[in-house]
Amino acid sequence: GLKFVELASPYLDLWDVSIGDITEWGEDAGPSRFYKIGHQNDWVRFIKQATNKPVVGVGRYYDPEKMLEVVNAGIVDIIGAARPSIADPWLPRKLEEGRIDDIRTCIGCNVCISRWEMGGVPFICTQNATAGEEYRRGWHPEKFEPAKSEHDVLIVGAGPAGSECARVLMERGYTVHLVDSSDKIGGCVNGISTLPGLAEWGFHRDYRETQLNKLVKKNKKCQIALGVKPMTADDVLEYGASRVVIATGAKWSATGINHLTQRPIPGADASLPHVLTPEQVYEGKKAVGKRVLIVNYDPYYTAPSIAEKYARAGHEVTVATVPGLAAYMEYTLEGPNVQRTLRELGVKIIGETGCSRVEEGRVELFDVWADGYKREYKGTGHLPRRENSSHYWHECDTVILVTSRRSEDTLFRELKARKDEWEKNGITDVFVIGDAEAPRIIADATFDGHRLAREIEDESPQH
């Protein structure tokens, strides 16, 4: 490789260096789960031995100190930053102006890449809701249309959707009150970022927390109230805000409701000591037994991350999953190394397997395809295939339900039911955004909050 660089250098202006090949480009565009900033330097550092032309290196460079370090060390001459520039197109200017805490840091989730891998469906970024919308919607990442009315806004919920909605509304000059029963901005991100390899996902929360605190200092009418009691419909009606945004998020089903049956799993009840939801895993308040079974109907990061957490802690972990494990992570380039990690840790994965019952000390599992290929009419109220006879018992001490997320939309529904009281309480609109409307990935929840804040004066902003 170095001989090639030496021979070709007279004919080139610069070398833009990456490693590996396109079939494993997740080793180059490394997700933060597995790769830290500048992770290619052990290889790239040799290039300058063979050329006097400038060398460009990549490695999700978001930290100016690290950029300076690798240039001063002679590893590269120019910093390449694709994903960090998607997260913040103003990255170079903010560096030049010394506005380090204003950088919207790439979290390395590779959701941007997932849309590429899916065949060019609309491009998104978990951190930057304007990515791909600069022309289509006319959204500038740093410029916002001034407020068009004196309407103030109450936002209930400071998770990804609520915090982003509040940030953009404050940037536009609206008076915003952001309220959350948690002690910290971030919502679901606070728990997710405690899982193995996902600490840098906390950058999503950190950016909004920093910006919101700055904006509140700039506009004394704005307010952030954290750690307060959950708001009721009466609280919202009496609050005095003319517009209300419900961003109360979603939680994992405590009874195992899943897409396969659309019903709870008999015996699955997270109020019992041997059954947990992911939120209870994050809280760490329940004892977890030696033998852990994760019942998984979700295609993304939650089940494999929890499996890794407990395997590293010395538990015997099994994942019963429908269909396979972490299918979406093939698109984010995390999939292959997730599989390698879990195998190294001895996690047992049982694919194409559902759960039909939970009891203390055991669960009943079944092969989801063991109901026969032939469909025939058996009368009204009867399934058209044969009864699945593949059920068997699996012994375990703790069951973790990663089955489906359910919107925490009770407050929104109560307010909609009392619409006849809005006018006398000075309320013109009540909106619902993010996971409270329907569970979605963090990038889409962030986009939803951003979009409502941009379009709040348009016709039918909810839609």
Side-chain angles (χ1 to χ4, degrees):
L2 291 181
K3 193 63 179 175
F4 173 77
V5 171
E6 181 183 329
L7 292 170
S9 283
Y11 310 102
L12 303 175
D13 296 313
L14 58 80
W15 287 93
D16 183 3
V17 183
S18 197
I19 58 175
D21 58 72
I22 193 64
T23 60
E24 283 200 337
W25 73 298
E27 306 301 313
D28 287 332
S32 57
R33 175 187 290 271
F34 298 110
Y35 291 108
K36 301 305 179 187
I37 187 171
H39 62 90
Q40 298 191 32
N41 288 341
D42 286 344
W43 289 272
V44 174
R45 67 175 66 249
F46 294 106
I47 300 299
K48 287 184 68 64
Q49 297 177 10
T51 183
N52 60 0
K53 297 295 178 66
V55 174
V56 182
V58 296
R60 202 167 56 88
Y61 283 105
Y62 57 78
D63 182 348
E65 295 296 333
K66 191 67 176 180
M67 296 180 193
L68 194 62
E69 176 187 322
V70 295
V71 171
N72 286 341
I75 296 171
V76 297
D77 302 292
I78 302 170
I79 298 293
R83 288 171 295 166
S85 296
I86 295 169
D88 195 336
W90 251 240
L91 177 63
R93 178 174 294 184
K94 290 176 181 178
L95 292 176
E96 185 178 31
E97 295 174 354
R99 296 165 50 207
I100 306 305
D101 59 349
D102 288 336
I103 294 172
R104 195 165 41 246
T105 307
C106 171
I107 71 172
C109 65
N110 280 5
V111 159
C112 55
I113 289 172
S114 76
R115 295 299 174 93
W116 161 268
E117 290 285 300
M118 292 168 72
V121 295
F123 179 77
I124 57 172
C125 172
T126 300
Q127 276 284 48
N128 178 17
T130 68
E133 304 293 347
E134 299 89 346
Y135 175 79
R136 189 163 76 113
R137 296 177 188 259
W139 288 357
H140 190 287
E142 299 290 320
K143 298 178 182 178
F144 304 90
E145 186 179 25
K148 289 184 176 181
S149 74
E150 295 297 320
H151 286 296
D152 52 358
V153 185
L154 168 65
I155 300 177
V156 184
S163 61
E164 178 70 357
C165 188
R167 181 186 75 87
V168 176
L169 287 171
M170 289 184 193
E171 290 277 13
R172 295 187 64 187
Y174 286 93
T175 297
V176 179
H177 286 195
L178 179 62
V179 179
D180 199 300
S181 58
S182 297
D183 294 328
K184 191 171 180 63
I185 286 169
C188 64
V189 173
N190 292 327
I192 292 166
S193 60
T194 65
L195 293 173
L198 301 186
E200 292 193 20
W201 288 29
F203 291 155
H204 184 280
R205 169 202 60 222
D206 298 343
Y207 171 74
R208 282 152 189 84
E209 187 175 55
T210 298
Q211 299 307 309
L212 286 167
N213 287 332
K214 285 187 175 186
L215 289 162
V216 167
K217 288 181 180 179
K218 188 183 299 184
N219 183 349
K220 301 298 184 183
K221 292 182 179 179
C222 293
Q223 181 181 352
I224 300 172
L226 301 174
V228 299
K229 69 179 182 65
M231 295 195 80
T232 64
D234 285 335
D235 294 334
V236 172
L237 290 168
E238 297 167 6
Y239 196 86
S242 56
R243 283 180 174 144
V244 178
V245 178
I246 303 301
T248 42
K251 289 187 177 178
W252 289 94
S253 171
T255 58
I257 296 174
N258 60 84
H259 68 268
L260 198 65
T261 66
Q262 298 297 335
R263 294 192 298 269
I265 298 171
D269 181 355
S271 68
L272 299 172
H274 60 282
V275 182
L276 280 76
T277 64
E279 287 89 2
Q280 291 173 326
V281 170
Y282 307 150
E283 292 166 2
K285 295 179 181 178
K286 271 190 177 184
V288 176
K290 179 68 174 177
R291 300 170 300 173
V292 175
L293 176 75
I294 300 172
V295 176
N296 180 56
Y297 287 78
D298 181 75
Y300 203 7
Y301 55 84
T302 304
S305 300
I306 291 175
E308 181 180 350
K309 172 186 175 71
Y310 286 115
R312 291 192 183 281
H315 297 262
E316 298 171 8
V317 182
T318 301
V319 185
T321 184
V322 179
L325 186 66
Y328 191 82
M329 296 173 83
E330 294 296 319
Y331 299 129
T332 62
L333 312 183
E334 297 168 285
N337 281 333
V338 163
Q339 297 289 350
R340 292 180 179 113
T341 298
L342 296 183
R343 279 162 173 75
E344 284 183 16
L345 292 171
V347 174
K348 183 179 180 182
I349 300 169
I350 312 173
E352 314 290 353
T353 299
C355 177
S356 51
R357 182 171 299 277
V358 175
E359 295 182 358
E360 186 173 2
R362 64 179 190 168
V363 297
E364 188 179 49
L365 303 177
F366 65 96
D367 181 342
V368 297
W369 301 117
D371 54 357
Y373 74 92
K374 189 175 182 179
R375 187 177 65 171
E376 56 184 318
Y377 179 70
K378 297 181 178 181
T380 302
H382 296 277
L383 292 173
R385 302 188 189 277
R386 70 169 181 247
E387 185 177 349
N388 194 317
S389 59
S390 66
H391 297 71
Y392 65 95
W393 290 102
H394 176 92
E395 294 185 357
C396 59
D397 303 309
T398 298
V399 179
I400 301 174
L401 303 173
V402 186
T403 54
S404 69
R405 295 167 69 225
R406 319 301 290 180
S407 293
E408 295 281 290
D409 59 0
T410 302
L411 178 58
F412 174 70
R413 292 180 181 276
E414 289 176 351
L415 289 169
K416 291 288 282 187
R418 297 172 66 176
K419 191 171 183 178
D420 57 347
E421 299 178 49
W422 291 6
E423 186 175 356
K424 69 179 182 181
N425 286 285
I427 296 175
T428 61
D429 299 285
V430 176
F431 304 109
V432 59
I433 58 174
D435 290 341
E437 182 184 31
R440 58 197 78 188
I441 63 175
I442 299 169
D444 288 330
T446 305
F447 176 90
D448 204 35
H450 190 103
R451 184 204 58 76
L452 179 66
R454 293 265 191 177
E455 300 178 354
I456 200 163
E457 302 290 350
D458 295 356
E459 184 180 352
S460 189
Q462 178 66 59
H463 304 110

